[in-house]
Amino acid sequence: MTTTLMSPDDTLRPPGADGGLRQAARRRYLLRLLVRRELRARYKGSLLGLGWSYVRPAVHFSVYFYVIGVFLGMDRQVENFPVYLFSGMVLVNLFTETLHSTTRSVTGNAPLVRKVFLPRELFPIASLLVSLVHFLPSMLILLGAAIVKGWRPSPESLGAAVFGFAIIVMLGLGLGLLCAAINVFFRDLEQVVDISMIVVTWSVPMIYPWTHVRTHAPGWVEDLYLANPLVSAVSLFQRAFWFPGTGKTFAFPPNLYAHATASLVFAILVFVAGRVAFARMQKRFAQEL
């Protein structure tokens, strides 16, 4: 009787060697369970449940509209200011919620990470999907308001919307993967992310037109401002849903689509970097948690 010697590599693999985004995508059942679990945990004991996805953006919008639009007069400076404001707000909220929730996604599931092996990327992806669930009600409100103001779908407007959405999703998930991995080792990162969300709100042309930066800031500040990928994404969404319902006299940032293309390339590079960093650091997640 002959015995065939097998290399350990033929039968055994180190834990996590076959993980990654592709493996996470193949485990759609687990992904659905994680999304449902997070939604149920967030709305446990709530009377409105997912109805809060409508209440929260409505209250958020009302505060900004009345303070910035009515009291400070921005409603008189920007045509159809409510749609202008909300078309930027839905994207900014998607980005901030994605980055906030993905940063905590691994540490928030520490018991599962310690006891069960599954692709760790499932956690930030599930957080992104939950953010998209909350994004849908805001989009319905935006579409309704835009239609009332005269918006009609066109290839250019839909293309701009998809372009801006892609920048936000790629950048949010890429930064989320990176922050989720680092947060396992340095929990102070959660506080840094929370503080940065305040800066994000004011660093895009959401509650003011971008021309205010050109008027009141030095040239180098304007260049730095326009290089922000979030500025390109928000401007594209405003181009998609706000601009068609106006007199079309507003001038968007120069070379908007060139800046947006560079922003998308940058977002993809951030996603790749976040994916690589997450894959390398995840080997130590269990022992750190």
Side-chain angles (χ1 to χ4, degrees):
M1 180 177 180
T2 60
T3 303
T4 302
L5 296 178
M6 298 180 64
S7 169
D9 291 339
D10 294 334
T11 56
L12 301 176
R13 294 181 182 178
D18 60 346
L21 293 176
R22 285 182 298 177
Q23 291 298 323
R26 291 174 184 174
R27 289 164 168 79
R28 289 186 291 271
Y29 178 72
L30 285 176
L31 193 57
R32 286 196 297 269
L33 288 180
L34 287 173
V35 171
R36 290 175 184 172
R37 175 174 171 266
E38 188 166 340
L39 288 172
R40 288 174 181 172
R42 183 171 300 192
Y43 298 112
K44 183 178 181 180
S46 170
L47 293 177
L48 290 181
L50 281 174
W52 287 108
S53 298
Y54 291 89
V55 175
R56 189 180 295 108
V59 172
H60 194 189
F61 164 79
S62 298
V63 170
Y64 275 105
F65 174 71
Y66 281 102
V67 174
I68 305 297
V70 178
F71 300 153
L72 298 183
M74 194 59 67
D75 189 35
R76 297 185 292 275
Q77 299 182 42
V78 178
E79 183 182 0
N80 197 9
F81 181 68
V83 178
Y84 176 88
L85 171 65
F86 201 67
S87 58
M89 185 175 291
V90 293
L91 270 194
V92 170
N93 286 349
L94 174 61
F95 176 77
T96 55
E97 182 178 350
T98 297
L99 185 55
H100 181 272
S101 59
T102 51
T103 298
R104 293 166 167 78
S105 60
V106 176
T107 55
N109 289 281
L112 285 176
V113 175
R114 289 194 301 264
K115 297 177 182 179
V116 180
F117 173 74
L118 66 167
R120 313 306 195 203
E121 289 86 351
L122 280 170
F123 302 119
I125 292 175
S127 295
L128 170 64
L129 293 177
V130 171
S131 298
L132 291 175
V133 169
H134 294 148
F135 171 75
L136 290 177
S138 298
M139 272 304 303
L140 292 176
I141 296 172
L142 173 60
L143 284 172
I147 290 172
V148 168
K149 293 296 183 178
W151 177 84
R152 296 296 181 269
S154 68
E156 186 174 3
S157 63
L158 294 178
V162 172
F163 206 167
F165 178 79
I167 294 172
I168 291 296
V169 170
M170 294 300 296
L171 187 62
L173 183 56
L175 288 174
L177 286 166
L178 180 62
C179 291
I182 296 175
N183 190 52
V184 173
F185 304 92
F186 304 100
R187 305 298 172 84
D188 288 343
L189 185 62
E190 294 183 7
Q191 308 305 322
V192 174
V193 170
D194 287 344
I195 294 172
S196 68
M197 296 302 96
I198 302 174
V199 178
V200 167
T201 301
W202 295 91
S203 66
V204 297
M206 179 182 78
I207 55 182
Y208 58 86
W210 75 274
T211 51
H212 277 36
V213 178
R214 167 171 287 182
T215 303
H216 300 290
W220 66 269
V221 174
E222 179 188 348
D223 293 337
L224 187 63
Y225 179 83
L226 294 179
N228 181 359
L230 298 179
V231 171
S232 297
V234 168
S235 297
L236 286 170
F237 237 58
Q238 291 166 341
R239 173 65 185 83
F241 298 107
W242 167 73
F243 189 68
T246 68
K248 299 185 178 180
T249 59
F250 182 81
F252 283 97
N255 304 314
L256 174 58
Y257 286 96
H259 278 291
T261 301
S263 297
L264 182 58
V265 171
F266 175 76
I268 293 172
L269 292 176
V270 170
F271 170 75
V272 172
R275 167 67 187 91
V276 171
F278 191 97
R280 290 184 177 180
M281 287 188 274
Q282 69 168 323
K283 299 173 184 178
R284 293 176 53 196
F285 284 177
Q287 68 187 68
E288 291 293 332
L289 294 172

